[in-house]
Structures are given as C-alpha cells and as structure tokens.
Amino acid sequence: MKNNFIVFAFVIFSIVIGCTISISQPLRISTNLWIGYSPFFYMQQKGWLKDHNIEIVNVVSLSENMQMYESGFVNAFTGTQYEFEQMQKKTPDLEPIILLDRSIGGDVIMGNRDIETLQKAQKINVYLEIDSVNKVLLDNFTELYGINLSVLHLINKDSDNSSMLEMKDEPTLIITYTPYDILLKKNGYKVVDTTKNLSFFVMDALYTDLKTREKYAEELAVLNKLISKALNHLKEDPEEYFSTVQIYFNYKDKNAFLQALTSIQWIYDDRSLPLMKQLELHHIPAHNILEPVDEF
C-alpha cells in the first residue's frame, strides 16, 4: 500500500513538474540589428516582455536568424521575404505573422568605385551575406548596370564584420543595410545604390510555423499589441524612443536616427491593395498575418 502511494505521488509530481516546464517555456524570437526591427529592441529595453512569456534572442545577421530557427532554438524569426522563401522550402507551413517594414533605401550597396569604373573592372571583391537578401540585391544591381558576373569575387561576411572593413585598394562592393553603413562611410566607402533607386521590393516581417501559431497564440497576440505600442511611442516621442534603443545602434544622435528611419516604411498596419499585390507577387501568404491593433 505504501509503495502504491509512493508511485502515485511520484506520478502526480511528475505531471505537475512537466506541466510547469511546458508552461514556462517562452516564445523565443530571433532578430538582428536592423532599424526596422527596432520595436523588438525597444520592448526588450522597456521590460515589457518579462511578464508575457516572450524572449528576444539577438543575433548579428539574417543568416543567423535562419540558423537559429532551423536548429529549433527559437520559435520565430525576423527577416525579408527572401529568407522566408529559403526557410519555407524546409518548413512548408512557415508564414508571416506580423508585418514590420519595407525597405525604401535602407538596404545599400557601398563601394570604392563609381558605376562606370565598376562596369570596366576586371575583378570586383564583393562582401555580403550570401544566403540572404544581399545576394538578390547584388543580382538586381549587376543586371541593371550590366556588370559582368564573371568578374565578381564573392566573400561571405555578415554585415557586422563587413562594416569594419578598412578602405581597399582594389575595386570593392559591400552589400549591407543601416546601421552598418555608418562605419563604412567613416572609412571612406560611398553609397553606390540603394533599394530606393533600384525600385526593388524588400519587406520585413516576423515568421513562424503552424505549431508555434497554435501553441503560442496568446503570446503572439500580446506581441502584436506591443509592437503597435512601440511604434506609437516612436510616433509620439521619438526622442524617448531613440534614447531607449540607442544602446544597440551607432547613430550619433536622434536626428541621425530619424534620418535613417526615412529609409524604411512601416507596414505594420498597411493592408493596402498595392502591398497585398506585392505579397501575392512574391508568393507570400497573407491569411495568417495578425490584424493591426490600436489599443494597448
């Protein structure tokens, strides 16, 4: 009888502990340093996520976001539609859950030669994250300006590392995005072209799979509200917003930060026909995107 009671007690204890572990497992989101992802850094600094079972994992590149998700360490990740397309091949039920921004100049091609010189170059070293939107941006750039692909020497570096490049003697291109362009400009590199001039559609969103959408429905709904709240704070008090996220970015002051914000367009609450058509054109499913909220 005593043994039976011990077994019964152990089973109950195991169930309770198991449930506790299951409940306490947070929704983990991987994100990297991009001005369009600043609401995540703002929420993190403000301490809004502590009581909502949500955890932000900071990484240095778009590729690492994908690696974190593929390894199962995180449940959702931020990225452009190009990272989404790559990961959807491995996770068919992957879909955008929250829209974030559209790049209208925030993704940049920097270099130490003008386009005419690049068109005649015999060799061009190109620093980029190969498994990311960087490669698609490069392809679009070379096609537009008729640069011979055979002269390109691709060097796989994340934007954090490539931002520290000293000025090179040989023709060099760096495919990157704000705020990593700041250090490159200080080192003498010039903006050769951007997503604004290339009329190149690049959007960012938070992506996750069916299992996560079902398991963490409550957390995702809260996150949706907090992103809206963060963007509202940015609109109402940009100085406070900047001072909160400044620790992550290299912008020298609020004005530089606000200038950088003009290189993106927030699409969190954009459900316009032109945007929906762009999503359809790029085969991005929209039926599980959470609706924007304006009450927090």
Side-chain angles (χ1 to χ4, degrees):
M1 182 70 179
K2 182 179 179 181
N3 289 339
N4 288 340
F5 176 77
I6 292 173
V7 170
F8 176 74
F10 177 77
V11 170
I12 295 298
F13 177 76
S14 299
I15 292 173
V16 170
I17 293 298
C19 289
T20 302
I21 293 172
S22 175
I23 292 171
S24 64
Q25 197 68 245
L27 168 67
R28 288 197 179 93
I29 297 165
S30 174
T31 191
N32 60 289
L33 196 62
W34 158 248
I35 197 167
Y37 304 155
S38 62
F40 292 98
F41 301 117
Y42 185 80
M43 290 185 286
Q44 193 172 37
Q45 285 298 106
K46 297 293 281 188
W48 292 351
L49 305 177
K50 292 179 182 177
D51 299 327
H52 296 293
N53 200 37
I54 303 170
E55 188 177 292
I56 303 296
V57 178
N58 301 323
V59 299
V60 299
S61 70
L62 292 163
S63 299
E64 279 193 6
N65 273 334
M66 293 188 291
Q67 292 166 9
M68 283 285 193
Y69 177 75
E70 189 174 7
S71 71
F73 187 76
V74 300
N75 311 102
F77 68 97
T78 56
T80 74
Q81 72 267 33
Y82 298 98
E83 289 78 47
F84 162 70
E85 287 171 5
Q86 289 187 56
M87 290 308 304
Q88 194 187 38
K89 295 172 184 176
K90 303 174 183 179
T91 309
D93 60 0
L94 186 72
E95 294 189 19
I97 189 78
I98 299 174
L99 296 180
L100 296 170
D101 67 90
R102 176 179 177 178
S103 174
I104 51 173
D107 292 88
V108 297
I109 298 174
M110 304 194 70
N112 58 2
R113 301 287 193 280
D114 59 26
I115 290 175
E116 186 177 353
T117 305
L118 292 169
Q119 289 170 330
K120 300 174 183 176
Q122 298 300 306
K123 180 182 178 182
I124 304 172
N125 288 330
V126 185
Y127 295 84
L128 76 166
E129 293 178 40
I130 291 177
D131 295 325
S132 78
V133 68
N134 287 179
K135 180 60 168 61
V136 186
L137 186 58
L138 174 65
D139 292 343
N140 190 276
F141 173 78
T142 53
E143 181 180 356
L144 179 63
Y145 293 108
I147 295 173
N148 192 339
L149 297 179
S150 66
V151 307
L152 302 181
H153 174 54
L154 304 186
I155 302 167
N156 193 21
K157 275 187 180 290
D158 62 59
S159 290
D160 185 43
N161 284 321
S162 63
S163 70
M164 302 175 194
L165 281 177
E166 297 294 333
M167 179 56 65
K168 301 288 186 180
D169 293 328
E170 62 273 14
T172 301
L173 289 175
I174 304 143
I175 320 298
T176 188
Y177 46 88
T178 185
Y180 294 112
D181 57 332
I182 297 174
L183 288 176
L184 289 168
K185 288 175 181 176
K186 288 180 180 178
N187 289 341
Y189 289 98
K190 306 293 184 183
V191 174
V192 180
D193 219 332
T194 74
T195 42
K196 183 177 182 178
N197 297 332
L198 290 170
S199 300
F200 183 57
F201 180 75
V202 180
M203 57 81 72
D204 291 277
L206 179 70
Y207 305 97
T208 193
D209 50 71
L210 176 61
K211 181 180 178 181
T212 299
R213 292 197 298 271
E214 292 178 344
K215 182 177 179 180
Y216 292 105
E218 183 177 338
E219 286 85 351
L220 288 167
V222 170
L223 181 69
N224 188 39
K225 290 181 180 179
L226 293 180
I227 288 176
S228 179
K229 184 178 179 180
L231 291 174
N232 184 66
H233 280 213
L234 171 59
K235 180 181 178 181
E236 297 295 327
D237 193 348
E239 188 164 352
E240 186 274 337
Y241 187 95
F242 168 68
S243 66
T244 302
V245 301
Q246 186 178 13
I247 188 174
Y248 297 99
F249 295 93
N250 290 320
Y251 302 110
K252 63 180 180 179
D253 54 34
K254 181 194 72 173
N255 291 333
F257 177 72
L258 294 179
Q259 179 61 38
L261 280 174
T262 64
S263 68
I264 67 168
Q265 173 188 351
W266 296 112
I267 59 172
Y268 166 77
D269 58 355
D270 187 354
R271 300 298 183 271
S272 63
L273 185 60
L275 179 62
M276 293 300 106
K277 284 187 174 180
Q278 282 284 4
L279 297 186
E280 183 179 359
L281 181 65
H282 289 83
H283 309 291
I284 304 169
H287 52 276
N288 279 314
I289 296 173
L290 296 178
E291 288 299 315
V293 296
D294 53 17
E295 295 181 1
F296 331 114

